Amino acid sequence: MTATTPGPLQETSPIFVGMPKFPQAARTALANTQQRRNLRHATHTIRDKRARVVAEVPEWEALRVAGAQAKDEALTHLGDYLEQLEASLTANGATVHWARDAAEANRIVLDIVRSKEVDEVVKVKSMVTQEIELNEALEAAGIHAWETDLAELIVQLGHDRPSHILVPAIHRNRSEIRDIFRREMGTVGRAAPDDLTDDPARLAEAARLHLREKFLRAKVGVSGANFAVADTGTLVVVESEGNGRMCLTLPETLISVVGIEKVIPSWEDLSPMLQLLPRSSTGERMNPYTTMWTGVHEGDGPQEVHVVLLDNGRSHVLADRVGRQALRCIRCSACLNVCPVYERTGGHAYGSVYPGPIGAVLNPQLRGTVSPVDRSLPYASSLCGACFDACPVRINIPELLVELRGRVVDEAGPSAESAAMRAAAWVLSDPRRLAGAQRAATTAGRLVGSRTIRSVPGLGAWTNARDVPTPPTETFRQWWARERGTETP
């Protein structure tokens, strides 16, 4: 296997050994060498850019600490800051809705859209609306939800699912995108040019032409928010293409679905965030477009603003003193770009809109560990620690992974592994029992000889990737007695 041409990677490879249930999506991803090439090229490009711009900031670690402290302050007093945010938004003319879960949030958005008597909305890229499957809920009600971010448009036209937090279509290369545009654009609007090539500028131009008519006629826009400032009631969206600003300013009605963990206490807390996020996500010193809106402004922008504050399991995560640090996440995707597991499997294997290391700790907390995929996610890591080093708000993802692995084991109850550990503890706690076990091991060593043990019943997943050490033919004590003629102390 070379660095530039990934070869087949099997589920028995050491990097994946230990996962209780290896998801079928991950097996499929491992067999797709083209996707793995795409992922490796894209993640390495982004993380190299990030490393260069982070190195320019001598106080980077201080910024990380400031970002983590701002998020921790908000999470520690989340109820108070959410009430302050609601009061600030309401005072500025916005209507605030509270949603316990995805079904309630979708119902609120659907009722608002129906009241406007429209059959389409334009959307800013939003992780939380993907989390609650808002597009699917709108489509089921006969309302078209047009994604306007280029990568999200590629995913939507390709009848696909996002595989990356920042770059949802990271698993596609330029030729694949060109084919999707040629095949699908004409079915939902303006067709792609007949002479469309895979040149990035031509692909972006085709997307702009396709989306322009939708921007101009849309009456309702839907967004998320990167941050929600409690003391001013300001919502913030950062993006790189300008489509977000079109969605946030052109429609008459704007609906923003915001996870309750997105709140930060004050305007001052926004400063470190706007330095941390662009460098960690796109490898830029600042985002090309940072749009902020505070309620309704007469004659300027949407004249009706609705904010849906979503829980959907976040209160459960908040109650966990160890796990709550996952709610610091600012969705930068830096942890994905340095993760050796994500680089090989891609985002679809995680079974959620939140892939990579942060998904491996956030999904089991938001959704529980009932499904085989969610039980396996804490094991989808080599525990190399690169994710913590990259995280701009210092989420200790390796610590959370180990904690969640322990919970998965405890929930599963007695197992062969736990029985083996108890047996080992019993043997090692008494010198006579240990000596007897050593004598038995030397007997096995003499019987086996120099042969390599390739498999052991009950340890299939472990021994598929490792050779079992051959038992010694004598213990250290026996060797000492033979060589020195005395008992070891």
Side-chain angles (χ1 to χ4, degrees):
M1 186 188 303
T2 67
T4 55
T5 308
L9 190 65
Q10 305 300 322
E11 78 175 84
T12 54
S13 296
I15 199 168
F16 299 110
V17 169
M19 295 176 71
K21 283 281 189 178
F22 198 79
Q24 181 59 45
R27 294 189 181 121
T28 303
L30 294 176
N32 188 340
T33 55
Q34 179 61 59
Q35 176 175 294
R36 289 176 52 217
R37 289 189 190 96
N38 299 344
L39 286 167
R40 188 182 190 283
H41 173 74
T43 55
H44 281 246
T45 298
I46 296 170
R47 78 191 199 191
D48 289 346
K49 287 178 60 181
R50 175 192 177 276
R52 287 194 295 271
V53 296
V54 165
E56 297 173 353
V57 184
E59 67 277 12
W60 180 252
E61 189 60 27
L63 274 176
R64 291 180 75 202
V65 171
Q69 289 177 342
K71 293 294 289 186
D72 282 347
E73 167 64 20
L75 293 172
T76 303
H77 307 285
L78 187 58
D80 296 334
Y81 285 119
L82 287 172
E83 290 182 1
Q84 184 182 12
L85 175 65
E86 179 185 31
S88 300
L89 286 166
T90 303
N92 288 306
T95 302
V96 177
H97 310 263
W98 298 84
R100 297 180 187 86
D101 53 28
E104 191 168 3
N106 287 335
R107 184 168 63 251
I108 292 167
V109 175
L110 189 56
D111 288 345
I112 297 169
V113 175
R114 280 174 171 160
S115 71
K116 304 305 169 186
E117 298 181 345
V118 298
D119 61 0
E120 65 178 357
V121 301
V122 290
K123 290 184 74 253
V124 187
K125 178 181 180 296
S126 165
M127 302 294 295
V128 73
T129 60
Q130 293 169 4
E131 174 190 334
I132 64 176
E133 298 185 333
L134 177 61
N135 286 13
E136 290 80 357
L138 291 171
E139 292 290 344
I143 299 166
H144 301 295
W146 305 120
E147 295 289 353
T148 63
D149 174 84
L150 177 57
E152 290 286 1
L153 177 65
I154 294 165
V155 169
Q156 186 175 48
L157 291 177
H159 308 287
D160 203 348
R161 300 286 289 180
S163 64
H164 192 274
I165 289 175
L166 175 68
V167 194
I170 196 172
H171 56 292
R172 299 289 193 183
N173 61 31
R174 292 183 296 171
S175 298
E176 292 173 312
I177 295 167
R178 176 202 59 206
D179 295 341
I180 290 171
F181 281 8
R182 284 177 174 174
R183 183 178 67 248
E184 299 291 338
M185 275 187 169
T187 64
V188 292
R190 179 167 180 161
D194 294 335
D195 61 346
L196 182 65
T197 67
D198 63 1
D199 177 68
R202 292 295 311 279
L203 294 172
E205 178 188 27
R208 281 196 299 271
L209 294 173
H210 175 77
L211 291 170
R212 189 164 297 162
E213 59 177 314
K214 295 177 173 54
F215 283 132
L216 293 175
R217 70 173 184 245
K219 302 296 183 184
V220 178
V222 176
S223 81
N226 293 98
F227 307 104
V229 184
D231 65 351
T232 62
T234 303
L235 301 183
V236 183
V237 162
V238 297
E239 40 117 5
S240 300
E241 300 172 19
N243 65 292
R245 183 158 297 177
M246 301 281 277
C247 291
L248 296 167
T249 57
L250 291 178
E252 298 170 359
T253 300
L254 175 62
I255 307 168
S256 299
V257 184
V258 183
I260 56 175
E261 84 284 8
K262 294 299 183 73
V263 66
I264 56 176
S266 68
W267 189 261
E268 288 74 18
D269 295 312
L270 193 58
S271 176
M273 298 303 181
L274 294 182
Q275 297 176 73
L276 291 166
L277 181 55
R279 285 179 168 84
S280 296
S281 57
T282 56
E284 297 170 298
R285 296 176 183 88
M286 64 182 294
N287 289 95
Y289 296 90
T290 300
T291 305
M292 306 181 187
W293 67 104
T294 307
V296 176
H297 299 273
E298 186 175 353
D300 183 20
Q303 297 303 290
E304 190 173 330
V305 173
H306 295 265
V307 180
V308 182
L309 296 174
L310 175 72
D311 188 322
N312 205 36
R314 287 159 174 79
S315 293
H316 174 73
V317 182
L318 184 67
D320 187 329
R321 292 193 174 275
V322 177
R324 70 167 55 169
Q325 62 180 299
L327 296 179
R328 291 183 200 156
C329 178
I330 57 175
R331 310 294 191 262
C332 69
S333 76
C335 62
L336 280 68
N337 298 327
V338 298
C339 179
V341 175
Y342 174 84
E343 182 184 314
R344 287 157 176 80
T345 64
H348 295 149
Y350 292 80
S352 166
V353 68
Y354 304 115
I358 188 61
V361 297
L362 190 57
N363 293 323
Q365 294 189 90
L366 287 175
R367 307 187 305 199
T369 53
V370 176
S371 74
V373 170
D374 288 322
R375 284 197 299 273
S376 74
L377 286 179
Y379 293 86
S381 171
S382 62
L383 296 181
C384 65
C387 49
F388 172 69
D389 292 339
C391 178
V393 287
R394 295 178 55 85
I395 302 172
N396 194 336
I397 294 176
E399 176 188 41
L400 292 180
L401 288 166
V402 172
E403 174 74 14
L404 288 168
R405 289 181 186 188
R407 294 179 192 177
V408 169
V409 170
D410 291 342
E411 290 171 4
S415 65
E417 181 181 10
S418 61
M421 291 298 103
R422 286 196 298 272
W426 180 79
V427 170
L428 295 173
S429 64
D430 184 274
R432 290 170 297 179
R433 290 195 288 263
L434 175 59
Q438 290 175 328
R439 287 193 296 271
T442 58
T443 301
R446 288 191 292 271
L447 292 174
V448 171
S450 60
R451 289 174 295 176
T452 301
I453 302 174
R454 305 272 182 203
S455 178
V456 175
L459 295 177
W462 196 87
T463 55
N464 282 342
R466 305 167 178 83
D467 293 334
V468 178
T470 303
T473 56
E474 64 179 348
T475 68
F476 172 75
R477 290 177 181 276
Q478 291 169 337
W479 174 87
W480 184 277
R482 176 168 56 79
E483 292 293 323
R484 302 297 177 89
T486 60
E487 290 291 328
T488 55

